[in-house]
Amino acid sequence: MKVTIVGAGNVGATCADVISYRGIASEVVLLDIKEGFAEGKALDITQCATNTGFNTRVSGVTNDYSKTAGSDVVVITSGIPRKPGMTREELIGINAGIVKTVAENVLKYSPNTIIVVVSNPMDTMTYLALKATGLPKNRIIGMGGALDSSRFRTYLSLALDKPANDISAMVIGGHGDTTMIPLTRLASYNGIPVSQFLSEEVLQKVAADTMVGGATLTGLLGTSAWYAPGASVAYLVDSILNDQKKMIACSVFVEGEYGQNDICIGVPCIIGKNGVEEIVDIKLNDQEKALFAKSADAVRSMNDALKT
Ligand code: NAI
């Protein structure tokens, strides 16, 4: 199984690293426009093989798409990241041009690939990739919910003082500080609703911390995060390549689901070898429905910026 990652920067290289050492794919190609950069990252990762014990073949190329031919999955991380104080939305102008060109280039050599979009503002970039390529909607997946949900589970684990892996929780809606919706009502610890253990006040604090989870890290690091984003992409790619059919919140094109049309937005999806196998319809309460509608409006108005 072959994965191409476009953009060998912080997120792209971390993703390549996790995919390799977890043996998720047999081959990873890193591609970047910066001369020699992807080659360097690939060589560095390859030199981990003997000490971490993996056999994945990792290579890097400078803008040569022919080397990406026959990829089962292509991950697009190319673009600029946030700086402190910036919103994801402020990246739209530059990243739109990059994502469109990259999506068109990868399809020339991997016409059957599934594309995972990471570049921000991710919901809009996913929509752009879908419209620019004309691919069926199951083959364009935006990664945001996997990361936001893992941040949500982390903050819940800190509040509960219990392992994050024992906590099940999901974030849906847009991948923005004000548009994401941590589903506190449905979060559980070993099958027990977390509301049994945490007060409403604490739950609201956890939700608020989750929503600004990315901004908090941008403030601390001076640029956006990469370990959790890279691992979240690898988690999603694993479910595709190994047909795991995990339920993961992903930004996908909706046609009536959750009352929305003609946008890509985070909804629970079954992810397998065909990409989006199914959009799962969970019953939201009235408050959650209202939040989702508001989030969809924000994503839609962000997409309008593509027209200008
Ligand atoms: P970075 O700056 O470390 O890496 C971006 C890489 O893209 C650079 O190496 C650059 O040379 C390359 N690049 C730029 N234009 C290119 C082109 N036309 N073709 C090939 N490569 C190109 O940035 P980082 O931190 O890796 O973030 C990448 C993107 O992912 C940003 O837009 C960021 O906002 C987004 N992001 C999204 C997340 C999500 O949950 N969806 C989480 C974290 C970051």
Side-chain angles (χ1 to χ4, degrees):
M1 290 286 188
K2 178 171 176 177
V3 177
T4 286
I5 301 169
V6 181
N10 286 335
V11 177
T14 306
C15 174
D17 192 29
V18 177
I19 287 177
S20 306
Y21 77 65
R22 292 197 44 223
I24 290 169
S26 53
E27 184 176 0
V28 175
V29 176
L30 272 167
L31 183 148
D32 205 285
I33 39 164
K34 241 187 281 174
E35 190 68 42
F37 191 61
E39 288 86 335
K41 291 285 181 98
L43 193 56
D44 195 8
I45 293 170
T46 301
Q47 290 167 1
C48 297
T50 53
N51 289 335
T52 56
F54 67 77
N55 294 312
T56 302
R57 189 148 48 94
V58 187
S59 60
V61 286
T62 305
N63 234 11
D64 179 0
Y65 282 85
S66 69
K67 298 285 190 326
T68 69
S71 294
D72 299 287
V73 174
V74 173
V75 178
I76 303 180
T77 74
S78 47
I80 53 165
R82 288 198 281 177
K83 296 286 171 222
M86 281 175 90
T87 63
R88 294 175 177 93
E89 291 74 17
E90 286 174 82
L91 306 173
I92 194 162
I94 297 169
N95 286 354
I98 295 173
V99 168
K100 184 169 184 290
T101 312
V102 167
E104 288 165 352
N105 280 333
V106 295
L107 281 178
K108 285 182 201 156
Y109 294 94
S110 303
N112 300 318
T113 198
I114 291 169
I115 295 181
V116 174
V117 179
V118 181
S119 310
N120 272 319
M122 182 277 294
D123 299 298
T124 297
M125 293 301 119
T126 307
Y127 181 80
L128 170 69
L130 185 90
K131 294 290 170 182
T133 60
L135 280 188
K137 60 182 182 175
N138 61 304
R139 286 173 51 198
I140 302 266
I141 309 173
M143 194 298 292
L147 172 64
D148 298 330
S149 300
S150 93
R151 286 180 173 151
F152 187 25
R153 290 169 67 191
T154 301
Y155 284 117
L156 282 168
S157 106
L158 294 172
L160 288 161
D161 195 21
K162 295 287 185 287
N165 282 313
D166 286 347
I167 293 161
S168 178
M170 187 174 274
V171 176
I172 60 169
H175 177 61
D177 297 359
T178 56
T179 56
M180 70 179 76
I181 306 161
L183 292 172
T184 47
R185 181 179 63 92
L186 301 175
S188 64
Y189 165 60
N190 280 319
I192 314 291
V194 292
S195 56
Q196 295 282 324
F197 311 105
L198 299 173
S199 68
E200 185 55 28
E201 194 188 356
V202 171
L203 274 175
Q204 288 312 317
K205 166 92 169 67
V206 164
D209 287 345
T210 302
M211 293 174 79
V212 296
T216 301
L217 284 161
T218 304
L220 292 168
L221 298 168
T223 186
S224 64
W226 55 89
Y227 293 116
S232 303
V233 180
Y235 179 76
L236 181 57
V237 170
D238 197 8
S239 197
I240 301 169
L241 287 185
N242 297 304
D243 197 26
Q244 291 169 333
K245 299 201 168 63
K246 282 187 184 127
M247 182 161 69
I248 305 173
C250 296
S251 184
V252 298
F253 190 71
V254 284
E255 290 177 297
E257 293 91 351
Y258 291 86
Q260 299 300 327
N261 279 291
D262 197 34
I263 51 169
C264 292
I265 187 165
V267 287
C269 298
I270 302 298
I271 301 294
K273 65 179 187 312
N274 300 308
V276 183
E277 306 277 348
E278 183 190 336
I279 295 177
V280 180
D281 182 24
I282 50 174
K283 303 283 168 260
L284 301 180
N285 65 22
D286 287 347
Q287 191 192 5
E288 292 155 352
K289 278 183 192 160
L291 286 172
F292 195 88
K294 196 166 155 232
S295 180
D297 284 346
V299 170
R300 193 168 285 110
S301 59
M302 180 72 52
N303 293 350
D304 287 344
L306 293 172
K307 296 175 194 150
T308 56

